[in-house]
Amino acid sequence: MVDPIVLLGGAAVSAVIGFGWLALAMDTHWEQVHGETSPSPAAVRALRVAGALALAVSLVFCLGADHPSMAALVWLMLLAGSATAIAATLSWQPRWLRLLWLRRGGDGR
Amino acid sequence: MFQNFRLSMAWLHTWFGLVLGFVLMVVFFYGSLSVFDREIDRWAIPSSRFAPQPMPSFDTILAPAFQKMQPAKEAVALLEGRVNGPLPERFEVVNSWGAYTTHRDPVVSVFAGFKVPNAKDPDETVFAVHALDPRSGAVLPQGQLRIGSEFFYPLHYSLHLTWKDLGYWIVGFSALMMLAALVSGVVMHRKIFREFFTFRRHKTVQRGALDLHNLTGVVALPFHFFFAFTGLVIFAGIYFPVAHTQLHDLHELHERVEARETGLPHERAGVAAPMASVDKMVAQAQRRWEAKGMAGDVGFVNVTHVGDANAYVSVYRAGTDRVALTGEGIHFKATTGELLRKDPPRTAVDSVNEFLTGLHLQHFRHWMLRWLYVLGGLLGCVCIATGFLFFVEKRKQQHAKAGGQGARIVDALAVTTVTGMLIATMAMLVANRLLPESLADKGEWERTVFWSAWGVAMVHAFVRGGAVARAGMNPAWREQCWLVAAGAMTAVVSNALTTGDHLARTISTGYWPVAGVDLSLLATAVVSVLVARKLARRAEQSTASATSTPLPKGGALGASMKNAEASHG
């Protein structure tokens, strides 16, 4: 039995990372983070899949911590919080999101 | 009327959002504070600053306290004109005794309902309500206001407009229109996904405000929708009061039939009889829950027809481990302790209703979800506040040219409902700490301070609003931010001075209810100062450039306001 706090922490972290990846899959935000480049189509696909998966993982963590009815609420509210956090990061410190997806040479066009 | 659907939606969103936004701002903000109402109570009433306690023994602690209870003079005074003949000195016949607690309450709420002799309405009941220290059975002084649960929380759903329940209706109508505003907002917003993470705070104030409005509206859309909706579900009985108006007789008949079916007597027998041990009944109820795999604490104990042969005891479970607000009530015959009835398994409709109500009322034990609810509520506040700003920014140049006052009025009302509301809140907390404990009606004084401070903030906002009519910025925003900061600091300091519970002590002993309120106040102070300074810099720049063009640093207000709201818990 894992401590619920660890699971909820995991849920929060994966929700933030998931939204970070989904944001990076968008041209405007990719530019904010990586400068004047666009992501390659393959990178966009990968980012979207990874982002969606991370959000799903977050839900699994929530389900591990609480009764399903409670877990669904926690997850929805975490999504609201983490989307706000990513939007705020993009507005103030977009470069921080570099850590989420290190750009390889081939991505820039 | 409009060229297309989108335009008609925009009209609906703008005008209903503007008018009801002022109400919704209050509802959202005090709703957010209500998430921690019990903790604010601790802060406001130092004598209740101890650890949460389980439901105390009925036989040794609660029963003696109940026997001493009599309705307060104010409650009796309200009966004037509703009784044939004079009002009695003492109320002898007790309809019910109830004791209620939650996992966050050190004190138990105890209430006794008394039958009113010779009342014109035979169902007339007058209540005595107290907070009781479960360790000793002593009742706390009555003049003290539990600011969280008795002031902020009712403000959230009734605006304290009790005349003909007007407040309930205004809040309910606003919630209904909020659902419409959410739908029309989604229709108007063309780029929900493309601009999901977008906040361009370096562009104009108008752009920044709209981005933030969209962002906070969209990311918390499920929260906004569910809370408006479940709020309406909770008060459905008030909005559709058929049972007690058109269908009164049928309702009475239904109660009698139900009483026959459940075996719980609807009427007193008229024969006095002593009570058996209620503690044993409570213990039995807990054993039965455990056998069902729902072991839990007792949240509510109620005795109906006290002192009569028909008396019965109902024991309900505290709902700390699930969202649904389910009591699993078990009822006993009070004279013998014999089991009368267990609440039957719920139907699907009941379960949905309990889930929806529980989602909103949050009796569960889950600190993270509580804070996320605060976040959701504050995102709602940001959404409404930026809506006002956008409205003003979009129109003020035009109004200034035409000599209109519309933008000025809306802006002043926005100041009143954003910073003015914070000033009123801070003033109340400061008054709570500085007024002497011995003051009779201390709670009434605190209420007066609250409303007066808000009124003064409103006058200030209107008086200083001339700049908006010239397409400028109302300096009241900045000045009130300073006041909020000063009020928050004063509250923290006066708490430390009057109770000795300064942050070093509350944090080191882990008394989070008080430490949390103090820390939230400090955070509010810090953010208010940052906002005030940013606004001051902008005002300087605009006088320096002396033009009426929007400033490059636009959106900073929205941004910092967001922080101001977000850090206020």
Side-chain angles (χ1 to χ4, degrees), chain B residues 258-294:
Chain B
E258 192 174 67
R260 199 157 57 227
E261 279 174 3
T262 56
L264 302 180
H266 183 254
E267 304 286 345
R268 301 178 79 92
V271 181
M275 261 200 296
S277 162
V278 174
D279 286 347
K280 281 191 185 143
M281 303 177 211
V282 169
Q284 195 192 128
Q286 282 184 303
R287 279 199 301 278
R288 285 177 185 274
W289 292 327
E290 203 175 336
K292 271 207 287 190
M294 296 180 71

Coordinates of all heavy atoms in Angstrom, one line a residue, chain B residues 258-294:
Chain B
E258 N -45.7 8.0 5.8 CA -44.3 7.6 6.0 C -44.0 7.2 7.4 O -43.3 6.2 7.6 CB -43.4 8.8 5.6 CG -41.9 8.5 5.4 CD -41.1 9.6 4.9 OE1 -41.0 10.6 5.7 OE2 -40.7 9.6 3.8
A259 N -44.5 7.9 8.4 CA -44.3 7.6 9.8 C -44.9 6.2 10.0 O -44.2 5.4 10.7 CB -45.0 8.6 10.7
R260 N -46.0 5.8 9.4 CA -46.6 4.5 9.7 C -45.7 3.5 9.0 O -45.4 2.4 9.6 CB -48.0 4.5 9.0 CG -48.8 3.3 9.6 CD -50.3 3.6 9.4 NE -50.6 3.8 8.0 CZ -51.4 4.8 7.6 NH1 -51.9 5.7 8.4 NH2 -51.7 5.0 6.3
E261 N -45.1 3.8 7.8 CA -44.3 2.8 7.2 C -43.0 2.6 7.9 O -42.5 1.5 8.0 CB -44.0 3.2 5.7 CG -45.2 2.9 4.8 CD -44.9 3.5 3.4 OE1 -43.9 4.1 3.2 OE2 -45.8 3.3 2.6
T262 N -42.4 3.7 8.3 CA -41.1 3.6 8.9 C -41.1 3.2 10.4 O -40.1 2.8 11.0 CB -40.3 4.9 8.8 OG1 -41.1 5.9 9.5 CG2 -40.1 5.3 7.4
G263 N -42.3 3.3 11.0 CA -42.4 3.0 12.4 C -41.8 4.1 13.3 O -41.7 4.0 14.5
L264 N -41.5 5.3 12.7 CA -41.0 6.4 13.5 C -42.2 7.3 13.8 O -42.8 7.9 12.8 CB -39.9 7.2 12.7 CG -38.7 6.3 12.3 CD1 -37.7 7.2 11.5 CD2 -38.1 5.7 13.5
P265 N -42.6 7.5 15.0 CA -43.8 8.2 15.3 C -43.8 9.6 14.8 O -42.8 10.4 15.0 CB -43.9 8.2 16.9 CG -42.9 7.1 17.3 CD -41.9 7.0 16.2
H266 N -44.9 10.1 14.2 CA -45.0 11.4 13.7 C -45.4 12.4 14.8 O -45.1 13.6 14.8 CB -46.0 11.4 12.6 CG -46.2 12.7 11.9 ND1 -47.3 13.5 12.1 CD2 -45.4 13.4 11.0 CE1 -47.2 14.6 11.3 NE2 -46.0 14.6 10.7
E267 N -46.2 11.9 15.8 CA -46.7 12.7 16.9 C -46.2 12.3 18.2 O -45.8 11.1 18.4 CB -48.2 12.6 16.9 CG -48.9 12.9 15.6 CD -49.0 14.4 15.3 OE1 -48.7 15.2 16.2 OE2 -49.2 14.7 14.1
R268 N -46.3 13.1 19.2 CA -46.0 12.7 20.6 C -47.2 11.9 21.1 O -48.3 12.0 20.6 CB -45.9 14.0 21.5 CG -44.8 15.0 21.0 CD -44.9 16.2 22.0 NE -44.2 15.9 23.2 CZ -42.9 16.1 23.4 NH1 -42.2 16.6 22.5 NH2 -42.3 15.8 24.6
A269 N -46.8 11.0 22.0 CA -47.9 10.2 22.6 C -48.6 11.0 23.7 O -49.8 10.7 24.0 CB -47.3 8.9 23.2
G270 N -47.9 12.0 24.2 CA -48.5 12.8 25.3 C -48.3 12.1 26.6 O -48.8 12.6 27.7
V271 N -47.5 11.1 26.7 CA -47.2 10.4 28.0 C -45.7 10.6 28.2 O -44.9 10.2 27.4 CB -47.5 8.9 27.9 CG1 -47.2 8.2 29.2 CG2 -48.9 8.7 27.4
A272 N -45.4 11.2 29.4 CA -43.9 11.4 29.7 C -43.3 10.0 29.9 O -43.8 9.1 30.5 CB -43.8 12.3 30.9
A273 N -42.0 9.9 29.5 CA -41.2 8.7 29.7 C -39.8 9.0 29.7 O -39.3 9.9 28.9 CB -41.6 7.7 28.6
P274 N -39.0 8.4 30.5 CA -37.5 8.6 30.6 C -36.8 8.0 29.4 O -37.3 7.1 28.8 CB -37.1 8.0 31.9 CG -38.1 6.9 32.1 CD -39.4 7.3 31.5
M275 N -35.6 8.4 29.1 CA -34.8 7.9 28.0 C -33.8 6.8 28.5 O -33.3 6.9 29.6 CB -34.0 9.0 27.4 CG -34.6 9.6 26.2 SD -33.4 10.4 25.2 CE -32.9 11.8 26.2
A276 N -33.6 5.8 27.7 CA -32.6 4.8 28.0 C -31.2 5.4 27.6 O -31.2 6.6 27.1 CB -32.9 3.6 27.2
S277 N -30.1 4.7 27.7 CA -28.8 5.2 27.4 C -28.7 5.4 25.9 O -28.7 4.4 25.1 CB -27.7 4.2 27.9 OG -26.5 4.5 27.3
V278 N -28.4 6.6 25.5 CA -28.2 6.9 24.1 C -26.9 6.4 23.6 O -26.7 6.0 22.5 CB -28.4 8.4 23.8 CG1 -28.1 8.8 22.4 CG2 -29.9 8.9 24.2
D279 N -25.9 6.5 24.6 CA -24.5 6.0 24.2 C -24.6 4.6 23.7 O -23.8 4.2 22.8 CB -23.6 6.1 25.4 CG -23.2 7.6 25.7 OD1 -23.5 8.4 24.8 OD2 -22.7 7.9 26.8
K280 N -25.4 3.7 24.3 CA -25.5 2.4 23.9 C -26.0 2.3 22.5 O -25.6 1.4 21.7 CB -26.4 1.5 24.8 CG -25.6 1.2 26.1 CD -26.4 0.2 26.9 CE -25.7 -0.1 28.3 NZ -26.6 -0.3 29.4
M281 N -27.0 3.1 22.2 CA -27.6 3.1 20.8 C -26.6 3.6 19.8 O -26.5 3.0 18.7 CB -28.8 4.1 20.8 CG -29.9 3.7 21.8 SD -31.3 4.9 21.7 CE -31.8 4.9 23.4
V282 N -25.8 4.6 20.2 CA -24.7 5.1 19.3 C -23.7 4.0 19.0 O -23.3 3.7 17.9 CB -24.0 6.3 19.9 CG1 -22.8 6.7 19.1 CG2 -25.0 7.5 19.9
A283 N -23.3 3.2 20.1 CA -22.4 2.2 19.9 C -23.0 1.1 19.0 O -22.2 0.5 18.1 CB -22.0 1.6 21.3
Q284 N -24.2 0.8 19.2 CA -24.9 -0.2 18.3 C -24.9 0.2 16.9 O -24.6 -0.6 16.0 CB -26.3 -0.5 18.8 CG -26.8 -1.8 18.2 CD -28.3 -2.0 18.4 OE1 -29.0 -2.2 17.5 NE2 -28.8 -1.8 19.6
A285 N -25.2 1.5 16.6 CA -25.2 2.0 15.3 C -23.8 1.9 14.6 O -23.7 1.4 13.5 CB -25.6 3.5 15.3
Q286 N -22.8 2.2 15.4 CA -21.4 2.1 14.9 C -21.1 0.6 14.5 O -20.4 0.3 13.5 CB -20.4 2.7 15.9 CG -20.4 4.2 15.8 CD -19.4 4.8 16.7 OE1 -19.4 4.6 17.9 NE2 -18.5 5.6 16.1
R287 N -21.5 -0.3 15.4 CA -21.3 -1.8 15.1 C -22.0 -2.1 13.8 O -21.5 -2.9 13.0 CB -21.8 -2.6 16.3 CG -20.9 -2.7 17.4 CD -21.2 -3.9 18.3 NE -22.5 -3.9 18.8 CZ -22.9 -3.2 19.9 NH1 -22.0 -2.5 20.6 NH2 -24.1 -3.2 20.4
R288 N -23.2 -1.6 13.6 CA -23.9 -2.0 12.4 C -23.3 -1.4 11.1 O -23.2 -2.1 10.1 CB -25.4 -1.5 12.5 CG -26.2 -2.3 13.4 CD -27.6 -1.8 13.5 NE -28.3 -2.6 14.5 CZ -29.0 -3.7 14.3 NH1 -29.0 -4.1 13.0 NH2 -29.6 -4.3 15.2
W289 N -22.7 -0.2 11.2 CA -22.0 0.4 10.1 C -20.8 -0.5 9.8 O -20.5 -0.8 8.6 CB -21.6 1.8 10.3 CG -22.7 2.8 10.4 CD1 -23.9 2.8 9.7 CD2 -22.7 4.0 11.3 NE1 -24.6 3.8 10.1 CE2 -24.0 4.6 11.0 CE3 -21.9 4.5 12.2 CZ2 -24.3 5.8 11.7 CZ3 -22.2 5.7 12.8 CH2 -23.5 6.3 12.6
E290 N -20.1 -0.9 10.8 CA -18.9 -1.6 10.7 C -19.2 -3.0 10.0 O -18.5 -3.4 9.1 CB -18.2 -1.9 12.0 CG -16.7 -2.2 11.9 CD -16.1 -2.3 13.3 OE1 -16.7 -1.7 14.3 OE2 -15.1 -3.0 13.4
A291 N -20.3 -3.6 10.4 CA -20.7 -4.8 9.8 C -21.0 -4.7 8.3 O -20.9 -5.6 7.5 CB -21.9 -5.4 10.5
K292 N -21.4 -3.5 7.9 CA -21.6 -3.2 6.5 C -20.4 -2.8 5.7 O -20.4 -2.4 4.5 CB -22.6 -2.0 6.3 CG -24.1 -2.5 6.3 CD -24.9 -1.5 5.6 CE -25.2 -0.2 6.3 NZ -26.2 0.6 5.7
G293 N -19.2 -2.8 6.4 CA -18.0 -2.3 5.8 C -17.9 -0.8 5.7 O -17.2 -0.3 4.8
M294 N -18.7 -0.1 6.5 CA -18.6 1.4 6.4 C -18.4 1.9 7.8 O -19.0 2.9 8.2 CB -20.0 1.9 6.0 CG -20.4 1.5 4.6 SD -22.0 2.2 4.1 CE -21.6 3.9 4.0

